[in-house]
Amino acid sequence: MAVKGAAAGTGMLLVTANVGSLFDDPENLQKNWLREFYQIVHTHKPHFMALHCQEFGGKNYEASMSHVDKFVKELLSSDAMKDYNRARVYLDENYKSQEHFTALGSFYFLHESLKNIYQFDFKAKKYKVTGKEIYSDTLESTPMLEKEKFPQDYFPECKWSRKGFIRTRWCITDCAFDLVNIHLFHDASNLIAWETSPSVYSGIRHKALGYVLDRIRDQRFEKVSYFVFGDFNFRLDSKSVVETLCTKATMQTVRAADTNEVVKLIFRESDNDRKVMLQLEKKLFDYFNQDVFRDNNGTALLEFDKELCVFKDKLYELDISFPPSYPYSEDCSQGKQYMNTRCPAWCDRILMSHSAKELILKSENDEKIVIYDHIGPNVCMGDHKPVFLSFRIAAGAGKRCPRNEKIFRETTL
């Protein structure tokens, strides 16, 4: 597979995918997922590819171990990936450690034509020539990355959270940058999310993302550009969305008989035989017309996507032109259907520092070089649609790799 010429810059493909569903139905969902993923690789033909996975191994990692091994083997040995002769794979498989387990998986593929690429050793503070290696289990002992799980008190109502981040640093064509795989906290209850604007969960995600940005921008290492991509669990401002979708509706509150706790909200049209428009429960968001989330890729709802605004001085995102990435049906025959568990939202994102934005090579003609989109629009990919960013880095762009540091040599496996 030929890649686009070096004269046009180094082709980059960044992909984020929450793959938890794939391990619940590996026979069907994994085949769909891999086929669509390989098609994106074939279409964009990158020199360097990063795949950041969240919920790797699914809900029950121990039971899914054989499926995990098969998935990794397929990715590394597939004919579609044969021209990527070097790879680095980092899998957090230490599921017995509640203190450290994040269920994150980071894959990095290097095309055989790509020269002058190095990976940073955070312990030695030097760059290494990259080979083909797989790291798993206790990633804390691996010097080629930084991994942290968020403290339990960030999300106390979740007894066993698997949220955290993994950071790697790379140098390509003398340009250094960080790649951060991230998984932030979800909305535990639609009813609680609806109560305030912004929701209490939005505040929790804000705190966790701020923590990550502080860590990757602190004084321990030289500051470089960074790309942060993963499942941010960003949600639309629930209170504002409901008020907009149900402008002419009346609300009925259903309470539990024993505790008087609100367990359900029912929004009915004021006329039209009081038709039910929306039913809201802890894990139910049942709106009568899903087309509102699909028409024009749901972009009319982007005004309620507010969680990133707080970080606009630190993070940049290309314009979104794809529909909400979550929560899609896990029924293999329903590639475009959303589940009625949550309000559809753009959970899966690729963000970058403002300096990273300057690394992206802009085309001087009409050819569209920078593409930010989702994968498998018409195919069931699990409850999350993967999101990708394809671009090129111009030679010599951005902060250069330190010249005064010795580069470690290691044998390619």
Side-chain angles (χ1 to χ4, degrees), residues 5-12 47 114 116 171-177 227 355-364 369-370 391-400:
T10 302
M12 305 282 291
H47 299 89
L114 182 60
N116 300 320
C171 179
I172 299 178
T173 60
D174 212 24
C175 173
F177 54 87
F227 295 87
S355 59
K357 178 181 69 170
E358 302 305 318
L359 296 180
I360 297 177
L361 181 66
K362 301 289 179 65
S363 176
E364 294 181 355
I369 286 183
V370 182
F391 62 97
R392 299 177 194 173
I393 289 183
K399 183 178 284 290
R400 293 178 175 272

Side-chain angles (χ1 to χ4, degrees), residues 122-161:
F122 287 95
K123 184 176 181 180
K125 296 187 178 182
K126 299 180 186 298
Y127 285 88
K128 286 185 176 182
V129 177
T130 53
K132 192 170 190 176
E133 295 192 19
I134 299 176
Y135 297 90
S136 62
D137 199 18
T138 53
L139 294 183
E140 289 76 16
S141 62
T142 305
M144 305 307 291
L145 58 79
E146 285 197 317
K147 190 203 94 171
E148 288 190 48
K149 178 179 175 179
F150 297 121
Q152 184 64 43
D153 59 9
Y154 272 40
F155 200 38
E157 66 181 271
C158 186
K159 294 181 180 179
W160 192 48
S161 166

